[in-house]
Amino acid sequence: MRLTALLRGVLRSEGEFTTLGRELDIVESYLDIERARFEHRLHVTIDVPARLRSIRLPPLVLQPLVENAVKHGIAHKQLGGDVVIRARVERLKDEGRQLLITIEDTGAGATPQALQRGRSAGVGLRNVERRLECQYGTAASVSIRTTPAREP
């Protein structure tokens, strides 16, 4: 059922924008599938206030990033780990506001070289960056911080 919900959400054509709430529905369907696969090794926290769920954004921005956190972070750790998704609105100096979405994992981390290789060869992250650039130009960005961990 969750696979069907995931596919339906991904394939639904909504034009140039969707809402953060719909994006989170897709992410939750994806994470339910991964929880079944990882059993007790995957812990997920979604900290997104209800008032932010109606914010419009390009479709398929969150799911590839969450998938990367699971695939490249948690999957390789014997004990698994945590994925935390947060969203908040920040005030800017020029009186504007911006949506800040954070996807954090307690995964294996990567060296700067491995991260650069993944950014240049990967498809999901590149597509997310293109979607954001097409809609927002330089006003939107994806920032990745990583620290290689000791435990695989």
Side-chain angles (χ1 to χ4, degrees), residues 72-103:
H72 300 295
I74 306 302
H76 302 292
K77 290 183 71 175
Q78 282 182 306
L79 299 175
D82 303 321
V83 174
V84 179
I85 303 165
R86 292 186 182 94
R88 70 178 193 266
V89 173
E90 286 188 338
R91 292 207 179 276
L92 300 174
K93 293 176 187 175
D94 66 357
E95 302 295 323
R97 298 181 317 163
Q98 73 178 4
L99 176 65
L100 178 64
I101 300 171
T102 305
I103 300 163

Side-chain angles (χ1 to χ4, degrees), residues 18-21 51-57 89 97 99:
T18 187
T19 64
L20 180 55
R51 70 182 187 284
L52 301 183
R53 291 179 182 249
S54 62
I55 291 177
R56 294 169 44 87
L57 70 160
V89 173
R97 298 181 317 163
L99 176 65

Side-chain angles (χ1 to χ4, degrees), residues 10-53:
V10 168
L11 297 175
R12 183 182 318 136
S13 175
E14 297 186 42
E16 292 184 50
F17 289 96
T18 187
T19 64
L20 180 55
R22 286 191 204 120
E23 281 286 286
L24 288 170
D25 290 343
I26 291 170
V27 166
E28 288 178 17
S29 293
Y30 165 75
L31 288 169
D32 283 346
I33 293 166
E34 291 294 17
R35 279 189 203 103
R37 186 175 137 217
F38 286 97
E39 297 176 342
H40 63 279
R41 296 186 322 123
L42 177 61
H43 306 100
V44 177
T45 302
I46 298 177
D47 180 15
V48 178
R51 70 182 187 284
L52 301 183
R53 291 179 182 249

Side-chain angles (χ1 to χ4, degrees), residues 103-145:
I103 300 163
E104 184 177 341
D105 68 72
T106 59
T111 65
Q113 297 81 9
L115 181 58
Q116 184 58 40
R117 277 193 308 273
R119 283 192 93 150
S120 61
V123 174
L125 181 57
R126 189 173 32 222
N127 285 342
V128 168
E129 290 176 316
R130 281 190 195 139
R131 280 187 200 96
L132 292 173
E133 184 180 339
C134 285
Q135 291 299 328
Y136 307 108
T138 59
S141 64
V142 175
S143 173
I144 300 173
R145 290 180 284 180

